[in-house]
Amino acid sequence: MGAGVQSTALLLLAARGRLDSLDGAIFADTKWEPETVYRHLDRLEREVAQPAGIPIHRVSAGDIRADALNPKKRFASMPLHILNPDGKPGMMRRQCTSEYKIKPIKRQVRHLLGFPHPTRVPKGICVEQWIGISIDEFHRAKDSDVRYITNRHPLIDLGWTRDDCLTYLRELGFESTPKSACLGCPYHGNAQWRKIRDESPQEWEDVVAFDTAIRSGNARANAAGNPLLGQAFLHRSRLPLSEAPIDRLSAREWAERQPPLPETAEEVLEAGVEDGCSPWSCRSDAPVPSDYDQAA
């Protein structure tokens, strides 16, 4: 339960009976999610999960931000963008998903089964784990790497895309569902960085400060005398976040900002009258070319 678009749609589908009921949902908290995610999760628990009898288990492997800056703490590296001494770009290995998301989820699954680590889960005992992956990202769907978990991807089974999930959420009043990701995730695109900067000044200040603090890599490595040879950055431009070109729009974003072209008369006829045929909303002014007025 990442509390993003797809996992929120899964929870709603189960709670409303369109999918099988769930025994529980697990939210792995890195302690550095946007405040909008925590508010959304609270709302889901209050309005959806509890009425449906679905407990939400909140688990954590620690505070990913604090761990990165703590010289006494082992830190699972984030995929930071690296500028090497020779000027060539690089990227650090991503360990954070495994350490702060997957491992605490597996630990909770074992706890729910009644076989916490290091107790061995007996052969034949297994849970079905639903993962919110839609068909437009089916390449992410993988089998479990442990025998006590069988992965299932109900959105793929339904043939749903992310847009289908968004439509469903809007229908149920959850159109404000946020993107679930750590505040300082190096995989953010410019749109996400702008959203943080423009809508949450305190969180923006937080990620800018973190970006500055990790310039030489994680604190424990530096304290051990193994500093990063290059420089680390949150933004793919490998510039300080406060200076990065986050106002640069992608081609898709630019296209979405353009006003729609006016419909031609033929398109109006093909699509039908937008407002329907009502005595109070007759579209008598709809363009009708004379060619279409002639009887066959």
Side-chain angles (χ1 to χ4, degrees), residues 125-136:
I125 293 181
C126 184
V127 300
E128 183 177 275
Q129 177 174 261
W130 292 8
I131 301 175
I133 294 176
S134 48
I135 62 172
D136 38 2

Side-chain angles (χ1 to χ4, degrees), residues 109-277:
V109 167
R110 291 175 63 97
H111 173 76
L112 293 172
L113 284 174
F115 300 98
H117 185 77
T119 306
R120 185 180 180 87
V121 179
K123 186 177 181 180
I125 293 181
C126 184
V127 300
E128 183 177 275
Q129 177 174 261
W130 292 8
I131 301 175
I133 294 176
S134 48
I135 62 172
D136 38 2
E137 50 184 19
F138 71 92
H139 58 280
R140 294 177 54 207
K142 296 178 175 63
D143 292 332
S144 171
D145 60 353
V146 292
R147 68 182 184 184
Y148 59 86
I149 296 176
T150 298
N151 288 347
R152 182 184 166 196
H153 308 91
L155 295 176
I156 293 179
D157 296 339
L158 291 172
W160 278 28
T161 64
R162 178 181 172 85
D163 284 343
D164 291 326
C165 294
L166 288 168
T167 298
Y168 183 59
L169 296 178
R170 282 194 296 269
E171 291 173 354
L172 299 178
F174 285 89
E175 62 276 0
S176 61
T177 297
K179 179 179 180 180
S180 176
C182 287
L183 274 172
C185 180
Y187 286 138
H188 283 337
N190 285 340
Q192 189 69 10
W193 288 123
R194 288 196 303 273
K195 185 177 179 65
I196 297 172
R197 181 195 64 187
D198 298 342
E199 298 182 12
S200 183
Q202 286 186 330
E203 291 181 335
W204 175 250
E205 183 179 336
D206 179 44
V207 292
V208 167
F210 180 79
D211 175 69
T212 301
I214 51 85
R215 194 71 71 236
S216 299
N218 78 74
R220 183 175 180 181
N222 283 293
N226 299 305
L228 186 68
L229 295 179
Q231 292 182 306
F233 301 85
L234 288 181
H235 193 266
R236 63 177 181 269
S237 66
R238 294 169 177 83
L239 291 171
L241 190 55
S242 59
E243 303 171 17
I246 66 172
D247 288 306
R248 184 179 300 165
L249 300 180
S250 67
R252 179 177 179 179
E253 288 176 313
W254 179 257
E256 289 174 347
R257 291 192 178 194
Q258 303 311 303
L261 295 173
E263 291 183 304
T264 65
E266 288 79 5
E267 287 172 335
V268 171
L269 289 167
E270 179 66 25
V273 177
E274 180 181 6
D275 296 329
C277 186

Side-chain angles (χ1 to χ4, degrees), residues 4-54:
V5 169
Q6 283 98 328
S7 64
T8 295
L10 270 187
L11 182 66
L12 284 162
L13 286 165
R16 295 173 65 85
R18 291 189 60 178
L19 291 174
D20 295 337
S21 183
L22 292 168
D23 297 304
I26 304 174
F27 175 76
D29 187 3
T30 66
K31 306 295 184 181
W32 204 27
E33 295 275 352
E35 185 58 34
T36 53
V37 169
Y38 293 117
R39 290 199 301 267
H40 177 69
L41 183 64
D42 290 342
R43 182 190 175 194
L44 283 178
E45 188 166 32
R46 182 177 64 252
E47 299 181 15
V48 179
Q50 288 181 351
I54 302 172

